[in-house]
Amino acid sequence: MNLPAHGSNPAALYQSLHLSKPERMIDFSVNTNPLGTPSSIKNEWSFWLSLAEDYPDPEGASLKRLLAEKNGVNVDQIVLGNGAAEIIQFLGQYLRNKRAVIVQPAFAEYEAACQTYGCETQYVHVSIDNWELPIDEIVEQASQIQAVFICSPNNPTGLSFQSKQLIELCHQLKTRQTLVVIDEAFYDFADRGSLTSYLTDYPNLILLRSLTKMYAIAGLRIGYMLASKEITAEISRFLPHWNVNAVALQAAETALKDLDYVKHSRQMIQEERRQMYEFFTEQGFEYTRSEVNYYLMRDPEIEDQEPLFLFLLKKGIVLRHTYNYPGLEGRWLRAAVKLKAENNCLKEALSLWKQQRN
């Protein structure tokens, strides 16, 4: 199947499969906050129109100061990007003609960015069954690589590696000056903390963040990187001038101050996720114990989940395929945690699937 490489594109998905698009669809392939854009942003939107008249601050100084305060770092340890995906492209440029390991399954953009700039990639696979970081295997390859890409909380599983494992890897690769790039795009959905406090001890550590997931502002594109000032200086050489637009800068500042929205989002998602897990257990579906706003699920009675994927599409339920995730190859489907009414629609469709199979 010639499927879109990412979620949140149902029109292209139906077209690629030569399926008629239903009048009503629910897109579970997009993994932004189901509560939508915070009212704190919506209430200010009309006042930001004047920002379009002038160039944005090319440094994003005000947002950097806020991020530095929140993360306990210095301003010169931050790089802003037009989404975290742009920063991944900068890292690909930095690693031009070098070698990197990608801990799989993981976000496809790491490999795409590396390959664009001639950086060779190799995989280290993690078993969904135990979700242990294969530190020894990674270290064994360290003499031949310049970077390791790790997604935690992981996309697509929703699982997180233990902090002590990640720190142990940073420690073992520190003397080799191998970069450990940890994508924390979904960290603010999880209960466990970040690794920001270890940036001083490990100058080879890079953290990637997204502000578009929690605050449902994916169309604005805003993300950032945390690292040592030496690494940020190197990466900043690749930034085009004004790479983050003025509205995105303002929306990011506004959203970061909206602490109640984040608290409410976590509580709602946690409860809806729990209810989905109960349903999966009762109906005999397998799933990952995700800590964030999406999870993997599958019908264990079939190896390739294509029949279930197509069945749901015909019902107007759009899940994310996993054919382009090395190590998964279509054996799982990713679904976002949505609002209760939408989650109930998924339950109804899956119940009907089970009835027809039986």
Side-chain angles (χ1 to χ4, degrees):
M1 293 187 290
N2 184 24
L3 301 175
H6 297 286
S8 189
N9 195 356
L13 179 60
Y14 279 95
Q15 183 177 11
S16 68
L17 292 170
H18 306 290
L19 294 176
S20 298
K21 189 169 66 171
E23 291 186 7
R24 183 174 181 269
M25 291 187 309
I26 305 177
D27 188 3
F28 285 86
S29 73
V30 58
N31 51 7
T32 53
N33 193 326
L35 290 178
T37 308
S39 57
S40 56
I41 290 179
K42 294 178 180 178
N43 294 340
E44 298 294 327
W45 191 257
S46 61
F47 298 104
W48 295 343
L49 181 60
S50 61
L51 296 175
E53 298 175 2
D54 200 358
Y55 289 96
D57 174 9
E59 299 297 328
S62 181
L63 176 57
K64 281 186 177 179
R65 286 194 295 270
L66 179 58
L67 288 171
E69 180 183 350
K70 283 186 166 292
N71 290 285
V73 299
N74 297 320
V75 170
D76 59 6
Q77 292 181 263
I78 301 171
V79 174
L80 299 179
N82 182 37
E86 184 183 44
I87 299 175
I88 294 170
Q89 287 292 317
F90 299 153
L91 289 170
Q93 289 178 268
Y94 182 69
L95 295 169
R96 183 186 295 271
N97 299 326
K98 296 180 181 179
R99 292 181 178 181
V101 159
I102 301 174
V103 178
Q104 296 283 7
F107 187 42
E109 289 302 309
Y110 313 143
E111 184 169 21
C114 286
Q115 291 181 347
T116 296
Y117 299 100
C119 175
E120 294 183 25
T121 57
Q122 52 205 69
Y123 301 156
V124 169
H125 292 276
V126 179
S127 170
I128 291 181
D129 295 331
N130 58 31
W131 203 247
E132 293 288 330
L133 189 66
I135 296 176
D136 292 342
E137 187 177 350
I138 297 172
V139 172
E140 189 177 325
Q141 302 182 40
S143 62
Q144 302 175 357
I145 63 173
Q146 285 71 48
V148 179
F149 286 87
I150 301 172
C151 191
S152 183
N154 181 259
N155 181 7
T157 67
L159 303 171
S160 295
F161 293 109
Q162 294 182 20
S163 296
K164 65 180 181 180
Q165 290 183 315
L166 296 170
I167 296 307
E168 174 62 22
L169 181 63
C170 289
H171 179 73
Q172 294 208 35
L173 296 184
K174 180 178 178 179
T175 56
R176 302 172 187 263
Q177 297 183 323
T178 302
L179 297 180
V180 180
V181 182
I182 302 179
D183 187 345
E184 294 185 333
F186 293 91
Y187 91 102
D188 42 5
F189 287 98
D191 290 332
R192 68 180 67 203
S194 169
L195 297 180
T196 50
S197 61
Y198 293 94
L199 287 168
T200 302
D201 295 330
Y202 298 102
N204 59 327
L205 176 61
I206 295 176
L207 303 178
L208 302 180
R209 299 278 183 77
S210 171
L211 293 173
T212 65
K213 306 298 187 181
M214 171 58 78
Y215 302 105
I217 51 174
L220 288 180
R221 314 305 304 136
I222 180 75
Y224 62 102
M225 181 186 91
L226 300 173
S228 69
K229 64 179 182 179
E230 290 78 16
I231 291 178
T232 57
E234 286 291 316
I235 298 299
S236 294
R237 295 186 298 112
F238 303 115
L239 270 67
H241 218 53
W242 309 298
N243 68 311
V244 179
N245 72 77
V247 176
L249 291 172
Q250 188 62 62
E253 283 197 61
T254 302
L256 285 166
K257 298 172 183 176
D258 197 342
L259 302 182
D260 289 339
Y261 172 84
V262 174
K263 181 180 179 181
H264 176 55
S265 297
R266 283 179 175 171
Q267 291 173 343
M268 186 278 292
I269 290 168
Q270 184 179 34
E271 177 58 24
E272 287 300 314
R273 193 175 61 215
R274 182 189 65 79
Q275 292 187 24
M276 289 303 302
Y277 291 171
E278 288 181 356
F279 170 82
F280 290 148
T281 300
E282 292 170 359
Q283 295 293 317
F285 290 97
E286 293 180 354
Y287 59 94
T288 56
R289 283 279 182 181
S290 168
E291 303 174 11
V292 292
N293 61 319
Y294 55 86
Y295 50 83
L296 289 182
M297 58 81 58
R298 68 188 302 269
D299 185 342
E301 296 182 4
I302 54 175
E303 181 68 12
D304 190 328
Q305 299 299 300
E306 180 183 356
L308 175 56
F309 183 56
L310 295 175
F311 174 85
L312 292 172
L313 284 175
K314 292 173 183 178
K315 300 295 182 183
I317 304 292
V318 183
L319 269 61
R320 171 68 161 89
H321 71 86
T322 60
Y323 287 103
N324 63 335
Y325 285 105
L328 299 183
E329 286 92 18
R331 294 192 299 273
W332 294 82
L333 297 172
R334 192 191 73 190
V337 178
K338 307 288 274 187
L339 300 178
K340 183 174 294 294
E342 296 167 317
N343 292 330
N344 286 341
C345 288
L346 175 57
K347 291 178 184 177
E348 291 173 8
L350 290 173
S351 295
L352 183 59
W353 161 266
K354 282 291 189 179
Q355 292 171 17
Q356 294 187 7
R357 296 283 294 179
N358 298 330

